Amino acid sequence: MKFTSYIKKYPVFIIFLIFAISLSVNKGFTEGDFDVFLNASKRLVAGEDIYSPPHFRNLQYYYSPLFAMLLAPATFFPDYIVKILWLVLNSFLIIRVWKLCSNHFDISSLTKKQYNLWMAISIILMLLPILLNFQALQMTIFMLWSILESLSLFNKKKTILGASVLALAINIKLLPLVVIPYLFYKKMYKPIIYVIVFFCIYIFLPHIILGYEYSGILHYSWWETINPTNKEHVVEQGGGFYSICALVPAYFSDLPMECNMSRPLNIMSLSIKQISLVMNSIRLILVLSMLIPLRSKSDENYKGFLSLSYLCLLVPLIFPHQRGYSFCFIAPVIIFLTYYFLKDRKRIVKRIFPFILFVISVILISPVWGRDIIGEYIELYQDYKIIPIAALLLIPAFLIIVIRDGKSKSNNAISPEDRLPGIKSPSSGA
C-alpha cells in the first residue's frame, strides 16, 4: 500500500504518530522511570545488588533481573537515545493495541467517517494515561500490548510465540499473570503449559549468563522487594498511588497521607486490619464479577474479548503499587464503549445510565479537565484519587451493557441493532 493511500485511510493514526514521536523526542531528554531501569542495568553490569541502595533518585527498582540483563547492551549508548527509542516503540505499540482490539469488531458496517471518528475519540479519551506513560517513561503500554498480542497469537494457533511473549511480560512485571486464570477458565491448557515452560527458562537464563551465585542473590532480593505481603503493599499512603490499596485508606482511615494540598474527607476511621478486610473484600467482589462477561450469552469469540477487556480494567484496581500510568489497561473497555455508542446512537437513549457513567468517567480522566479547568488545583486530582474512581464508574457501565444486551441476544424478538456488536470470525481475517 502506498504511503499516500495509507494516510488517506488512517489519518488519525498518522496524526497521533506525529504527535507521539514528537513527544518521545521531548520526553527522552527528561528523567523518568526508565532511568531507574537503566541505572539498575548499569549496576548489574558492575556486579551490584540492584535491589539495594543506592537507588536512582531514591526510586526502587521493582522489575526482574532478566529485564535489567536485557537492558545491558543499552547502557553503552547515551541514555537519551535509549529513552527516545523506547517511547517511539511505545507510540507504535499504542497503534498495535488499537488494531488488536478493533479486530474483534465487525467494522464493515462503519463508514469511513465513523471509523476515523471511533479511532480519534478512543485515543483522545485515553490521552491522560498515555501522557502519564510518556512522562514517566513507563512499561504499562508494553504490558497491555503483550497481553493482547499473546492472546491474538494463541487464537491463531501460534502457541509457542504467544507463550514466549506472555511469559516474558510476566517475568518483567507480574501484572500479566492474571491472564493465566483466564486461560484456565477458557480451557486453553496448552498455552498455559508453554507459558510456564518459557517462564522457567526466563528465570533460569540469568543463572547461565550471570552465574548461579550472583543470579540467586538478585532473585532473592527481587522477591523480597515485590512480596505482596510487605506492609507497603497492604496500605499505600503515597499521593501517587491509585489502586484499591490507596483509595480505601484515603477515605476510610485517619492514617497520615502524602498529600499535595489536603487529604480526602475522612468518611470513617478504620483500623489497618479493618482496612485490609475491606480492600480484600472489594478485590474478591471485583474478581467474582469477572463471571458476568465470562458467562454472558454473547458469541463465544466476542465473549472472550469482553472478558479480556474487563480483566484489563480490573488489573490497576486490584494490584498494589499502581500509579496513574497503570490505567492504560482500561483502553480495551474504552474502545468497546466508544464503538458501542458510536455505531448506533439510539443506544445512548436505550442505555442512558451506562452512557452517563461512561461520560462522567472519561471526563474525570480527561487531561483537559485536569489541567485547563482546575488549573493550580491539579494536586486535588491526585489527593482525592480521581483516576481509580473514574475506573470504578466504568465497571457498572460495562457490566450493565453486557447483561442487558446478553439478554437481548437470547430474545429473538429483539432487533439486531439492539444486540451486542458481533466480531469478525477467524476466517474473515483481521
PDB file of all heavy atoms in Angstrom, residues 2-22 92 95 116 119 123:
ATOM      1  N   LYS A   2       0.585   2.174  -0.891  1.00  0.00           N
ATOM      2  CA  LYS A   2       1.366   3.393  -0.967  1.00  0.00           C
ATOM      3  C   LYS A   2       1.152   4.238   0.290  1.00  0.00           C
ATOM      4  O   LYS A   2       0.094   4.219   0.904  1.00  0.00           O
ATOM      5  CB  LYS A   2       0.981   4.190  -2.205  1.00  0.00           C
ATOM      6  CG  LYS A   2       1.365   3.498  -3.518  1.00  0.00           C
ATOM      7  CD  LYS A   2       0.995   4.364  -4.700  1.00  0.00           C
ATOM      8  CE  LYS A   2       1.389   3.687  -6.008  1.00  0.00           C
ATOM      9  NZ  LYS A   2       1.030   4.527  -7.178  1.00  0.00           N
ATOM     10  N   PHE A   3       2.190   5.006   0.625  1.00  0.00           N
ATOM     11  CA  PHE A   3       2.135   5.815   1.841  1.00  0.00           C
ATOM     12  C   PHE A   3       0.994   6.829   1.792  1.00  0.00           C
ATOM     13  O   PHE A   3       0.310   7.058   2.789  1.00  0.00           O
ATOM     14  CB  PHE A   3       3.472   6.523   2.047  1.00  0.00           C
ATOM     15  CG  PHE A   3       3.542   7.308   3.331  1.00  0.00           C
ATOM     16  CD1 PHE A   3       3.573   6.668   4.554  1.00  0.00           C
ATOM     17  CD2 PHE A   3       3.560   8.696   3.312  1.00  0.00           C
ATOM     18  CE1 PHE A   3       3.633   7.374   5.738  1.00  0.00           C
ATOM     19  CE2 PHE A   3       3.614   9.418   4.488  1.00  0.00           C
ATOM     20  CZ  PHE A   3       3.658   8.751   5.701  1.00  0.00           C
ATOM     21  N   THR A   4       0.778   7.419   0.628  1.00  0.00           N
ATOM     22  CA  THR A   4      -0.296   8.425   0.498  1.00  0.00           C
ATOM     23  C   THR A   4      -1.664   7.805   0.721  1.00  0.00           C
ATOM     24  O   THR A   4      -2.530   8.409   1.358  1.00  0.00           O
ATOM     25  CB  THR A   4      -0.238   9.077  -0.879  1.00  0.00           C
ATOM     26  OG1 THR A   4      -0.253   8.045  -1.898  1.00  0.00           O
ATOM     27  CG2 THR A   4       1.005   9.920  -1.044  1.00  0.00           C
ATOM     28  N   SER A   5      -1.873   6.598   0.205  1.00  0.00           N
ATOM     29  CA  SER A   5      -3.163   5.938   0.406  1.00  0.00           C
ATOM     30  C   SER A   5      -3.351   5.534   1.859  1.00  0.00           C
ATOM     31  O   SER A   5      -4.465   5.531   2.385  1.00  0.00           O
ATOM     32  CB  SER A   5      -3.279   4.710  -0.506  1.00  0.00           C
ATOM     33  OG  SER A   5      -2.259   3.768  -0.222  1.00  0.00           O
ATOM     34  N   TYR A   6      -2.225   5.188   2.548  1.00  0.00           N
ATOM     35  CA  TYR A   6      -2.297   4.847   3.970  1.00  0.00           C
ATOM     36  C   TYR A   6      -2.711   6.071   4.788  1.00  0.00           C
ATOM     37  O   TYR A   6      -3.497   5.969   5.725  1.00  0.00           O
ATOM     38  CB  TYR A   6      -0.954   4.322   4.452  1.00  0.00           C
ATOM     39  CG  TYR A   6      -0.993   3.731   5.844  1.00  0.00           C
ATOM     40  CD1 TYR A   6      -1.290   2.382   6.036  1.00  0.00           C
ATOM     41  CD2 TYR A   6      -0.742   4.514   6.965  1.00  0.00           C
ATOM     42  CE1 TYR A   6      -1.336   1.833   7.300  1.00  0.00           C
ATOM     43  CE2 TYR A   6      -0.789   3.974   8.238  1.00  0.00           C
ATOM     44  CZ  TYR A   6      -1.086   2.638   8.395  1.00  0.00           C
ATOM     45  OH  TYR A   6      -1.149   2.103   9.654  1.00  0.00           O
ATOM     46  N   ILE A   7      -2.169   7.241   4.403  1.00  0.00           N
ATOM     47  CA  ILE A   7      -2.519   8.478   5.089  1.00  0.00           C
ATOM     48  C   ILE A   7      -4.009   8.770   4.932  1.00  0.00           C
ATOM     49  O   ILE A   7      -4.684   9.171   5.886  1.00  0.00           O
ATOM     50  CB  ILE A   7      -1.679   9.655   4.554  1.00  0.00           C
ATOM     51  CG1 ILE A   7      -0.213   9.468   4.932  1.00  0.00           C
ATOM     52  CG2 ILE A   7      -2.197  10.985   5.096  1.00  0.00           C
ATOM     53  CD1 ILE A   7       0.698  10.540   4.369  1.00  0.00           C
ATOM     54  N   LYS A   8      -4.515   8.541   3.726  1.00  0.00           N
ATOM     55  CA  LYS A   8      -5.935   8.796   3.483  1.00  0.00           C
ATOM     56  C   LYS A   8      -6.826   7.828   4.257  1.00  0.00           C
ATOM     57  O   LYS A   8      -7.899   8.207   4.723  1.00  0.00           O
ATOM     58  CB  LYS A   8      -6.225   8.682   1.982  1.00  0.00           C
ATOM     59  CG  LYS A   8      -5.601   9.783   1.140  1.00  0.00           C
ATOM     60  CD  LYS A   8      -5.921   9.593  -0.329  1.00  0.00           C
ATOM     61  CE  LYS A   8      -5.281  10.708  -1.174  1.00  0.00           C
ATOM     62  NZ  LYS A   8      -5.564  10.521  -2.619  1.00  0.00           N
ATOM     63  N   LYS A   9      -6.365   6.590   4.392  1.00  0.00           N
ATOM     64  CA  LYS A   9      -7.171   5.581   5.077  1.00  0.00           C
ATOM     65  C   LYS A   9      -7.088   5.717   6.590  1.00  0.00           C
ATOM     66  O   LYS A   9      -8.075   5.504   7.293  1.00  0.00           O
ATOM     67  CB  LYS A   9      -6.711   4.185   4.663  1.00  0.00           C
ATOM     68  CG  LYS A   9      -7.609   3.070   5.194  1.00  0.00           C
ATOM     69  CD  LYS A   9      -7.205   1.716   4.644  1.00  0.00           C
ATOM     70  CE  LYS A   9      -8.139   0.625   5.156  1.00  0.00           C
ATOM     71  NZ  LYS A   9      -7.764  -0.712   4.625  1.00  0.00           N
ATOM     72  N   TYR A  10      -5.909   6.071   7.122  1.00  0.00           N
ATOM     73  CA  TYR A  10      -5.726   6.161   8.567  1.00  0.00           C
ATOM     74  C   TYR A  10      -5.159   7.522   8.963  1.00  0.00           C
ATOM     75  O   TYR A  10      -4.072   7.601   9.547  1.00  0.00           O
ATOM     76  CB  TYR A  10      -4.785   5.055   9.057  1.00  0.00           C
ATOM     77  CG  TYR A  10      -5.236   3.660   8.739  1.00  0.00           C
ATOM     78  CD1 TYR A  10      -4.581   2.903   7.773  1.00  0.00           C
ATOM     79  CD2 TYR A  10      -6.320   3.089   9.401  1.00  0.00           C
ATOM     80  CE1 TYR A  10      -4.983   1.611   7.475  1.00  0.00           C
ATOM     81  CE2 TYR A  10      -6.733   1.798   9.116  1.00  0.00           C
ATOM     82  CZ  TYR A  10      -6.060   1.058   8.145  1.00  0.00           C
ATOM     83  OH  TYR A  10      -6.468  -0.219   7.860  1.00  0.00           O
ATOM     84  N   PRO A  11      -5.854   8.595   8.705  1.00  0.00           N
ATOM     85  CA  PRO A  11      -5.313   9.926   9.045  1.00  0.00           C
ATOM     86  C   PRO A  11      -5.130  10.125  10.541  1.00  0.00           C
ATOM     87  O   PRO A  11      -4.199  10.811  10.967  1.00  0.00           O
ATOM     88  CB  PRO A  11      -6.361  10.887   8.485  1.00  0.00           C
ATOM     89  CG  PRO A  11      -7.625  10.082   8.428  1.00  0.00           C
ATOM     90  CD  PRO A  11      -7.196   8.687   8.089  1.00  0.00           C
ATOM     91  N   VAL A  12      -6.006   9.501  11.348  1.00  0.00           N
ATOM     92  CA  VAL A  12      -5.905   9.650  12.802  1.00  0.00           C
ATOM     93  C   VAL A  12      -4.608   9.014  13.309  1.00  0.00           C
ATOM     94  O   VAL A  12      -3.924   9.582  14.165  1.00  0.00           O
ATOM     95  CB  VAL A  12      -7.127   9.021  13.505  1.00  0.00           C
ATOM     96  CG1 VAL A  12      -6.963   9.097  15.026  1.00  0.00           C
ATOM     97  CG2 VAL A  12      -8.408   9.715  13.080  1.00  0.00           C
ATOM     98  N   PHE A  13      -4.276   7.841  12.779  1.00  0.00           N
ATOM     99  CA  PHE A  13      -3.033   7.180  13.183  1.00  0.00           C
ATOM    100  C   PHE A  13      -1.820   8.037  12.847  1.00  0.00           C
ATOM    101  O   PHE A  13      -0.893   8.166  13.646  1.00  0.00           O
ATOM    102  CB  PHE A  13      -2.903   5.825  12.480  1.00  0.00           C
ATOM    103  CG  PHE A  13      -3.776   4.748  13.056  1.00  0.00           C
ATOM    104  CD1 PHE A  13      -3.903   3.520  12.416  1.00  0.00           C
ATOM    105  CD2 PHE A  13      -4.467   4.942  14.240  1.00  0.00           C
ATOM    106  CE1 PHE A  13      -4.695   2.522  12.941  1.00  0.00           C
ATOM    107  CE2 PHE A  13      -5.270   3.950  14.782  1.00  0.00           C
ATOM    108  CZ  PHE A  13      -5.384   2.738  14.126  1.00  0.00           C
ATOM    109  N   ILE A  14      -1.819   8.615  11.651  1.00  0.00           N
ATOM    110  CA  ILE A  14      -0.679   9.429  11.227  1.00  0.00           C
ATOM    111  C   ILE A  14      -0.523  10.659  12.122  1.00  0.00           C
ATOM    112  O   ILE A  14       0.577  10.989  12.570  1.00  0.00           O
ATOM    113  CB  ILE A  14      -0.839   9.862   9.752  1.00  0.00           C
ATOM    114  CG1 ILE A  14      -0.932   8.642   8.846  1.00  0.00           C
ATOM    115  CG2 ILE A  14       0.314  10.763   9.338  1.00  0.00           C
ATOM    116  CD1 ILE A  14       0.275   7.731   8.901  1.00  0.00           C
ATOM    117  N   ILE A  15      -1.646  11.312  12.402  1.00  0.00           N
ATOM    118  CA  ILE A  15      -1.612  12.497  13.280  1.00  0.00           C
ATOM    119  C   ILE A  15      -1.116  12.110  14.670  1.00  0.00           C
ATOM    120  O   ILE A  15      -0.279  12.799  15.263  1.00  0.00           O
ATOM    121  CB  ILE A  15      -3.005  13.151  13.369  1.00  0.00           C
ATOM    122  CG1 ILE A  15      -3.400  13.735  12.007  1.00  0.00           C
ATOM    123  CG2 ILE A  15      -3.023  14.241  14.439  1.00  0.00           C
ATOM    124  CD1 ILE A  15      -4.831  14.226  11.946  1.00  0.00           C
ATOM    125  N   PHE A  16      -1.628  10.974  15.181  1.00  0.00           N
ATOM    126  CA  PHE A  16      -1.212  10.534  16.508  1.00  0.00           C
ATOM    127  C   PHE A  16       0.276  10.200  16.533  1.00  0.00           C
ATOM    128  O   PHE A  16       0.984  10.558  17.475  1.00  0.00           O
ATOM    129  CB  PHE A  16      -2.022   9.315  16.953  1.00  0.00           C
ATOM    130  CG  PHE A  16      -1.491   8.682  18.217  1.00  0.00           C
ATOM    131  CD1 PHE A  16      -1.716   9.285  19.448  1.00  0.00           C
ATOM    132  CD2 PHE A  16      -0.739   7.519  18.176  1.00  0.00           C
ATOM    133  CE1 PHE A  16      -1.209   8.729  20.612  1.00  0.00           C
ATOM    134  CE2 PHE A  16      -0.227   6.954  19.323  1.00  0.00           C
ATOM    135  CZ  PHE A  16      -0.465   7.563  20.543  1.00  0.00           C
ATOM    136  N   LEU A  17       0.765   9.497  15.505  1.00  0.00           N
ATOM    137  CA  LEU A  17       2.175   9.115  15.473  1.00  0.00           C
ATOM    138  C   LEU A  17       3.085  10.340  15.402  1.00  0.00           C
ATOM    139  O   LEU A  17       4.130  10.377  16.053  1.00  0.00           O
ATOM    140  CB  LEU A  17       2.445   8.191  14.288  1.00  0.00           C
ATOM    141  CG  LEU A  17       2.010   6.730  14.462  1.00  0.00           C
ATOM    142  CD1 LEU A  17       2.232   5.951  13.177  1.00  0.00           C
ATOM    143  CD2 LEU A  17       2.748   6.081  15.622  1.00  0.00           C
ATOM    144  N   ILE A  18       2.682  11.330  14.623  1.00  0.00           N
ATOM    145  CA  ILE A  18       3.475  12.566  14.557  1.00  0.00           C
ATOM    146  C   ILE A  18       3.548  13.219  15.931  1.00  0.00           C
ATOM    147  O   ILE A  18       4.616  13.634  16.397  1.00  0.00           O
ATOM    148  CB  ILE A  18       2.874  13.544  13.525  1.00  0.00           C
ATOM    149  CG1 ILE A  18       3.018  12.969  12.101  1.00  0.00           C
ATOM    150  CG2 ILE A  18       3.558  14.905  13.614  1.00  0.00           C
ATOM    151  CD1 ILE A  18       2.303  13.790  11.051  1.00  0.00           C
ATOM    152  N   PHE A  19       2.386  13.278  16.605  1.00  0.00           N
ATOM    153  CA  PHE A  19       2.335  13.854  17.954  1.00  0.00           C
ATOM    154  C   PHE A  19       3.155  13.023  18.939  1.00  0.00           C
ATOM    155  O   PHE A  19       3.958  13.560  19.723  1.00  0.00           O
ATOM    156  CB  PHE A  19       0.873  13.925  18.422  1.00  0.00           C
ATOM    157  CG  PHE A  19       0.705  14.161  19.895  1.00  0.00           C
ATOM    158  CD1 PHE A  19       0.909  15.421  20.443  1.00  0.00           C
ATOM    159  CD2 PHE A  19       0.354  13.109  20.740  1.00  0.00           C
ATOM    160  CE1 PHE A  19       0.759  15.630  21.805  1.00  0.00           C
ATOM    161  CE2 PHE A  19       0.203  13.315  22.105  1.00  0.00           C
ATOM    162  CZ  PHE A  19       0.405  14.584  22.634  1.00  0.00           C
ATOM    163  N   ALA A  20       2.973  11.692  18.889  1.00  0.00           N
ATOM    164  CA  ALA A  20       3.633  10.808  19.858  1.00  0.00           C
ATOM    165  C   ALA A  20       5.143  10.785  19.668  1.00  0.00           C
ATOM    166  O   ALA A  20       5.902  10.784  20.645  1.00  0.00           O
ATOM    167  CB  ALA A  20       3.060   9.396  19.744  1.00  0.00           C
ATOM    168  N   ILE A  21       5.596  10.762  18.416  1.00  0.00           N
ATOM    169  CA  ILE A  21       7.044  10.735  18.161  1.00  0.00           C
ATOM    170  C   ILE A  21       7.682  12.059  18.566  1.00  0.00           C
ATOM    171  O   ILE A  21       8.791  12.090  19.128  1.00  0.00           O
ATOM    172  CB  ILE A  21       7.320  10.409  16.678  1.00  0.00           C
ATOM    173  CG1 ILE A  21       6.892   8.963  16.379  1.00  0.00           C
ATOM    174  CG2 ILE A  21       8.803  10.598  16.344  1.00  0.00           C
ATOM    175  CD1 ILE A  21       6.982   8.579  14.920  1.00  0.00           C
ATOM    176  N   SER A  22       6.985  13.175  18.314  1.00  0.00           N
ATOM    177  CA  SER A  22       7.489  14.482  18.764  1.00  0.00           C
ATOM    178  C   SER A  22       7.586  14.518  20.281  1.00  0.00           C
ATOM    179  O   SER A  22       8.572  15.016  20.844  1.00  0.00           O
ATOM    180  CB  SER A  22       6.561  15.595  18.272  1.00  0.00           C
ATOM    181  OG  SER A  22       6.473  15.605  16.870  1.00  0.00           O
ATOM    182  N   PHE A  92       4.183   3.144  18.577  1.00  0.00           N
ATOM    183  CA  PHE A  92       3.691   2.129  17.640  1.00  0.00           C
ATOM    184  C   PHE A  92       2.917   1.026  18.366  1.00  0.00           C
ATOM    185  O   PHE A  92       1.979   0.453  17.803  1.00  0.00           O
ATOM    186  CB  PHE A  92       4.859   1.538  16.851  1.00  0.00           C
ATOM    187  CG  PHE A  92       5.380   2.449  15.784  1.00  0.00           C
ATOM    188  CD1 PHE A  92       6.451   3.299  16.028  1.00  0.00           C
ATOM    189  CD2 PHE A  92       4.781   2.490  14.528  1.00  0.00           C
ATOM    190  CE1 PHE A  92       6.934   4.153  15.039  1.00  0.00           C
ATOM    191  CE2 PHE A  92       5.246   3.343  13.536  1.00  0.00           C
ATOM    192  CZ  PHE A  92       6.323   4.181  13.791  1.00  0.00           C
ATOM    193  N   ILE A  95      -0.726   2.010  18.675  1.00  0.00           N
ATOM    194  CA  ILE A  95      -1.450   1.736  17.441  1.00  0.00           C
ATOM    195  C   ILE A  95      -1.753   0.246  17.334  1.00  0.00           C
ATOM    196  O   ILE A  95      -2.855  -0.159  16.926  1.00  0.00           O
ATOM    197  CB  ILE A  95      -0.642   2.200  16.213  1.00  0.00           C
ATOM    198  CG1 ILE A  95      -0.362   3.706  16.287  1.00  0.00           C
ATOM    199  CG2 ILE A  95      -1.379   1.843  14.923  1.00  0.00           C
ATOM    200  CD1 ILE A  95      -1.588   4.568  16.307  1.00  0.00           C
ATOM    201  N   ASN A 116     -12.877   6.550  11.474  1.00  0.00           N
ATOM    202  CA  ASN A 116     -11.871   7.520  11.903  1.00  0.00           C
ATOM    203  C   ASN A 116     -12.297   8.251  13.167  1.00  0.00           C
ATOM    204  O   ASN A 116     -11.474   8.572  14.021  1.00  0.00           O
ATOM    205  CB  ASN A 116     -11.580   8.506  10.777  1.00  0.00           C
ATOM    206  CG  ASN A 116     -10.722   7.908   9.678  1.00  0.00           C
ATOM    207  OD1 ASN A 116      -9.651   7.365   9.932  1.00  0.00           O
ATOM    208  ND2 ASN A 116     -11.187   7.983   8.441  1.00  0.00           N
ATOM    209  N   MET A 119     -11.602   5.937  16.084  1.00  0.00           N
ATOM    210  CA  MET A 119     -10.180   5.973  16.438  1.00  0.00           C
ATOM    211  C   MET A 119      -9.840   7.246  17.203  1.00  0.00           C
ATOM    212  O   MET A 119      -9.171   7.212  18.242  1.00  0.00           O
ATOM    213  CB  MET A 119      -9.323   5.891  15.170  1.00  0.00           C
ATOM    214  CG  MET A 119      -9.197   4.515  14.569  1.00  0.00           C
ATOM    215  SD  MET A 119      -7.940   4.486  13.258  1.00  0.00           S
ATOM    216  CE  MET A 119      -8.838   5.255  11.922  1.00  0.00           C
ATOM    217  N   ILE A 123      -8.655   7.420  21.230  1.00  0.00           N
ATOM    218  CA  ILE A 123      -7.315   7.898  21.592  1.00  0.00           C
ATOM    219  C   ILE A 123      -7.397   9.128  22.484  1.00  0.00           C
ATOM    220  O   ILE A 123      -6.658   9.249  23.470  1.00  0.00           O
ATOM    221  CB  ILE A 123      -6.493   8.194  20.319  1.00  0.00           C
ATOM    222  CG1 ILE A 123      -6.175   6.891  19.593  1.00  0.00           C
ATOM    223  CG2 ILE A 123      -5.185   8.915  20.677  1.00  0.00           C
ATOM    224  CD1 ILE A 123      -5.461   7.067  18.266  1.00  0.00           C
TER     225      ILE A 123
END
